[in-house]
Amino acid sequence: MEKFVKLIDTAVPLITENVDTDQIIPARFLKATDKKGFGDNVFRDWRFNKDGSVNEDFVLNNKSFKGSILVAGDNFGCGSSREHAAWALAGYGFKVVVSSFFADIFKGNALNNGILPIQVSEEYLKKLLKKVTEEPNTIVTVDLENQEIITAVGTSSFEINPYKKVCMINGYDDIDFLVSKKDKIEAFEASL
Amino acid sequence: MGKTLFDKVWDAHVVDSIENGPQVLYIDKHLIHEVTSPQAFNELKERGISVARPDKIVATADHNTPTVNQHLPIKDDLSRNQLEQLTKNCKENNITLYELGHENNGIVHVIAPELGITQPGMTMVCGDSHTSTHGAFGTIAFGIGTSQVAQVFASQCLLLQKPKSLRVSVNGKLRNGVLPKDVILYIIAQLGTNSGTGYFCEYAGNVFEEMSMEGRMTVCNMSIEMGARGGMIAPDQTTFDYVEGKEFAPKGVDFDKKVAYWKTLPSDADATFDQEYTFNAEDIEPMLTFGTNPGMGIKISENIPEDNDVSLEKSLSYMNFQKGESLIDKKINYVFIGSCTNSRIEDFREVANYVKGKQKAQNVNAWLVPGSQKVAKQIEEEGLKTVFEAAGFQLRQPGCSACLAMNDDKIPEGEYCVSTSNRNFEGRQGQGSRTILASPLMAAATAVEGKIIDVTKQLN
């Protein structure tokens, strides 16, 4: 996993609440057996019209907006547990998702794939969405070490599990850690 | 202070704790399927790690299996490839697989309980959000991502932060025609789709105590739709009777020993929960969803809300419904009875009981998709197949089918489908499809009438 310490970039506003993982990556694209290529189909049914043409109204197709930070409406990532949603976002180039609420499984999947989910207050989110929509060049700074998101609408601190923070900063993942616990796991099994 | 059911099961599985961090939780059973496992197998291979406990993993093919002509090779190249990968991975790693055509094959959350793999007091995971189903047995069961599938492969453990506890109690007497599906759709409509996020939910009260195991599975299945990681119901005599005699259930003295332990699991009387909600059974009616998330539900007697809300307006525009209107008399051309929510034998008995002697409306395509080969067999043995065929319903072969439309069973664009599945997201049942979630009884009535009706008017 890539290390994540600090990120300074512009943001893409997605003013939609309850974005479920079926929208992030529709089920018909889950047939691959590796993690690559999902970025091409992220938000597929919103990005493209039914005839396959580009939906100019969707924010990802608006050339004014770019950057590796997605700012989305409340309750992002609900629904299916598919990690393909995180692979799709990462594959497209997103490194941070900001929202006022994240579904549990999505949050875990994001962290396991080097995407930082930042939960801010509804009030802050509202201001941020307005700002980045009106001024697409707005710079957003994400400082994981100090757990802060810094923008023109102010600074907001965010929570992250201390263990997960260490993992993100060092690019570690859980498998290495769990495998290192082999003796304890075997002792536990022996006690069953 | 007393412990909750969740505390008791969780605490019994903690291998280690990290200071200020997650705990290492031991997993008793790991269920896998073709969609969320291939990348996890690859991950292990790349790292040169072998699967730690293949005997604690059970695999099935379900998400993109066809529901007709299952004996023939799968036409879709990508689906076929995914299933072949699963077969290959299971063979290489010595994992039990119930592949297409096997007598134990079916939807992962249907087969594990019916084979006795699911037992009270366990920890169970699967790369599928509806793993919450198994909580009906007093099991901690939850969906995981593919990275976590790889973690369980590598260590039979997961790193997790203990969730908070929530209890939803429903007491009283359910009205005629109100099914477990209506109970959970009502709860989600009342609480919203993110009310359970960060929590593990226990369902309590006489309504759940009096429910069959199938009904309890339907309720726990949809816990994820209110954001909860999982739902649980305390094991009791109903649970023990269901488990006893199942293929992989403990037998004889071992079973009695287990039951003695399982009886210690229900929440202590003085246990406290981080959050509690209570509802009256009498307030619940048959439910229907009108929008694009499972929380957008109304009672059959109610009209679509008239709130000024962007999400509501967006979803009504997708569904082509108006604020303030009733769903009664809406013409429906598709009915899907299946999915890990409602494809068990009890669901099909309910449907058969209603359609017996009736005819499906001409405009309706009514798909009946059993959850497993065993359910399909029961449907035949109990004479339900004859009932369905006489009524013009189409009985298909087991699988996830039109719940998420990864196979060929798709609802056409713009069409409404009254569905017993769990999600009404945009395009869930096929691009542009419009899903209305309901109970098997409401779905059966819709198929017969060709439109939505208030089924309670016929029953009373």
Side-chain angles (χ1 to χ4, degrees):
Chain A
M1 210 165 70
E2 229 177 283
K3 291 179 185 184
F4 187 115
V5 183
K6 197 172 191 174
L7 178 72
I8 302 168
D9 205 352
T10 49
V12 179
L14 178 62
I15 313 176
T16 305
E17 292 181 359
N18 304 313
V19 174
D20 57 73
T21 53
D22 273 68
Q23 307 317 317
I24 301 174
I25 186 84
R28 62 186 188 280
F29 300 113
L30 306 187
K31 295 176 196 260
T33 51
D34 62 35
K35 295 180 185 179
K36 292 180 205 91
F38 289 101
D40 296 342
N41 293 313
V42 73
F43 298 113
R44 175 79 197 196
D45 294 338
W46 289 348
R47 266 165 78 199
F48 297 96
N49 296 313
K50 277 154 200 156
D51 62 4
S53 61
V54 170
N55 173 14
E56 301 291 349
D57 294 337
F58 187 60
V59 69
L60 293 197
N61 296 324
N62 184 333
K63 291 194 172 56
S64 315
F65 300 107
K66 45 187 180 297
S68 57
I69 297 165
L70 181 69
V71 185
D74 191 53
N75 195 28
F76 187 84
C78 54
S80 165
S81 65
R82 60 187 71 164
E83 194 160 312
H84 312 69
W87 301 333
L89 290 166
Y92 187 80
F94 288 118
K95 294 190 168 79
V96 168
V97 185
V98 183
S99 180
S100 48
F101 204 89
F102 291 97
D104 281 335
I105 303 179
F106 174 80
K107 198 194 273 184
N109 286 341
L111 287 164
N112 283 334
N113 287 281
I115 297 175
L116 182 63
I118 297 182
Q119 190 165 323
V120 295
S121 70
E122 278 181 42
E123 194 193 4
Y124 186 86
L125 181 70
K126 222 177 185 173
K127 281 195 274 185
L128 183 61
L129 273 172
K130 189 167 183 285
K131 185 77 182 171
V132 296
T133 304
E134 286 169 1
E135 294 169 44
N137 294 326
T138 302
I139 294 290
V140 176
T141 302
V142 174
D143 180 349
L144 177 57
E145 213 134 36
N146 293 307
Q147 295 177 224
E148 277 179 341
I149 171 166
I150 304 145
T151 71
V153 298
T155 297
S156 172
S157 60
F158 60 85
E159 295 290 318
I160 180 170
N161 182 290
Y163 167 80
K164 275 291 167 197
K165 180 175 168 178
V166 172
C167 288
M168 289 277 294
I169 288 175
N170 296 296
Y172 293 163
D173 69 29
D174 291 351
I175 293 187
D176 305 324
F177 180 84
L178 283 167
V179 169
S180 75
K181 292 279 170 186
K182 195 170 172 245
D183 293 348
K184 282 208 168 173
I185 294 167
E186 282 174 357
F188 178 86
E189 285 178 323
S191 74
L192 289 177
Chain B
M1 199 179 71
K3 278 184 159 191
T4 65
L5 161 65
F6 178 77
D7 288 334
K8 291 181 192 181
V9 182
W10 179 281
D11 294 350
H13 289 84
V14 175
V15 173
D16 200 7
S17 297
I18 300 165
E19 212 182 322
N20 293 322
Q23 289 176 304
V24 178
L25 194 78
Y26 192 78
I27 303 302
D28 293 319
K29 282 284 176 243
H30 185 192
L31 310 172
I32 63 169
H33 59 82
E34 75 274 19
V35 180
T36 54
S37 67
Q39 291 89 349
F41 279 114
N42 289 347
E43 183 85 47
L44 253 69
K45 209 178 248 178
E46 280 164 22
R47 291 175 188 240
I49 305 171
S50 55
V51 172
R53 301 287 177 264
D55 57 322
K56 291 182 187 280
I57 308 172
V58 177
T60 187
D62 57 3
H63 276 61
N64 52 36
T65 56
T67 57
V68 287
N69 293 325
Q70 288 187 345
H71 62 289
L72 296 178
I74 296 172
K75 285 187 214 140
D76 180 71
D77 291 342
L78 293 171
S79 295
R80 199 177 56 247
N81 179 43
Q82 238 180 14
L83 292 165
E84 283 168 0
Q85 283 285 322
L86 182 70
T87 306
K88 187 169 164 274
N89 285 328
C90 288
K91 205 169 270 174
E92 279 175 12
N93 292 285
N94 220 3
I95 292 167
T96 302
L97 165 67
Y98 301 129
E99 55 194 330
L100 211 53
H102 191 285
E103 59 175 7
N104 289 348
N105 176 258
I107 304 175
V108 62
H109 309 309
V110 176
I111 65 164
E114 72 185 7
L115 290 170
I117 293 166
T118 306
Q119 294 165 26
M122 280 184 167
T123 48
M124 295 178 79
V125 294
C126 175
D128 187 282
S129 60
H130 291 107
T131 310
S132 61
T133 311
H134 309 271
F137 291 78
T139 296
I140 291 184
F142 52 93
I144 55 176
T146 299
S147 295
Q148 291 173 305
V149 172
Q151 290 165 26
V152 183
F153 280 164
S155 67
Q156 201 54 34
C157 289
L158 275 176
L159 271 170
L160 297 161
Q161 202 75 32
K162 190 175 178 181
K164 288 186 283 185
S165 64
L166 160 71
R167 181 162 60 185
V168 175
S169 304
V170 184
N171 288 295
K173 191 173 164 13
L174 290 176
R175 297 193 208 185
N176 206 3
V178 173
L179 270 53
K181 180 65 162 291
D182 299 306
V183 175
I184 188 63
L185 280 172
Y186 175 80
I187 293 170
I188 300 166
Q190 294 293 311
L191 300 179
T193 50
N194 64 12
S195 56
T197 307
Y199 293 97
F200 227 89
C201 177
E202 179 175 342
Y203 299 97
N206 72 291
V207 164
F208 303 109
E209 286 162 15
E210 289 159 18
M211 243 179 222
S212 66
M213 284 313 293
E214 277 96 344
R216 293 178 190 184
M217 283 187 249
T218 299
V219 169
C220 290
N221 173 277
M222 292 196 66
S223 302
I224 186 74
E225 310 307 340
M226 60 172 172
R229 211 50 202 277
M232 296 177 95
I233 294 172
D236 59 8
Q237 199 55 48
T238 305
T239 325
F240 312 146
D241 291 346
Y242 182 94
V243 175
E244 191 170 16
K246 295 270 188 289
E247 195 171 337
F248 294 101
K251 307 272 171 350
V253 185
D254 290 341
F255 182 77
D256 297 339
K257 270 193 211 159
K258 282 284 184 191
V259 170
Y261 169 60
W262 296 341
K263 282 183 173 169
T264 68
L265 294 174
S267 294
D268 297 327
D270 60 342
T272 54
F273 291 78
D274 296 304
Q275 182 69 258
E276 290 234 35
Y277 299 104
T278 304
F279 299 103
N280 293 322
E282 290 81 4
D283 294 339
I284 309 174
E285 288 179 32
M287 299 290 294
L288 293 168
T289 60
F290 58 84
T292 53
N293 74 51
M296 294 173 156
I298 48 172
K299 298 177 192 176
I300 184 68
S301 67
E302 288 178 333
N303 294 347
I304 294 173
E306 302 195 49
D307 309 340
N308 284 323
D309 176 308
V310 183
S311 294
L312 174 68
E313 280 151 17
K314 183 174 175 286
S315 72
L316 291 183
S317 144
Y318 182 83
M319 294 296 289
N320 197 25
F321 287 149
Q322 310 300 319
K323 284 183 186 178
E325 73 173 338
S326 159
L327 294 182
I328 292 177
D329 289 340
K330 283 277 172 203
K331 190 181 168 202
I332 303 292
N333 296 329
Y334 286 84
V335 168
F336 169 62
I337 299 173
S339 88
C340 58
T341 316
N342 284 113
S343 66
R344 297 180 177 82
I345 189 61
E346 187 179 274
D347 300 312
F348 292 103
R349 285 185 194 136
E350 187 82 42
V351 174
N353 188 37
Y354 180 86
V355 303
K356 194 167 191 173
K358 297 188 179 85
Q359 270 299 314
K360 170 190 80 70
Q362 284 210 325
N363 60 301
V364 175
N365 289 290
W367 294 343
L368 299 169
V369 183
S372 69
Q373 291 288 355
K374 281 199 189 328
V375 172
K377 203 168 155 214
Q378 271 177 299
I379 286 174
E380 207 160 335
E381 284 168 358
E382 295 183 15
L384 311 185
K385 188 179 175 186
T386 322
V387 173
F388 295 141
E389 282 174 355
F393 283 66
Q394 199 187 119
L395 185 61
R396 298 170 85 98
Q397 290 172 298
C400 297
S401 178
C403 173
L404 83 167
M406 272 193 80
N407 66 356
D408 291 331
D409 305 346
K410 298 182 201 314
I411 307 302
E413 190 184 333
E415 289 284 355
Y416 293 107
C417 178
V418 169
S419 172
T420 68
S421 58
N422 37 56
R423 284 180 175 150
N424 50 348
F425 297 153
E426 288 182 23
R428 172 79 178 178
Q429 295 196 276
Q431 246 185 309
S433 63
R434 295 166 170 155
T435 300
I436 297 166
L437 301 176
S439 74
L441 176 61
M442 284 293 287
T446 306
V448 167
E449 301 291 334
K451 59 182 186 178
I452 291 173
I453 59 151
D454 182 351
V455 74
T456 59
K457 295 227 163 87
Q458 291 182 342
L459 301 174
N460 295 329

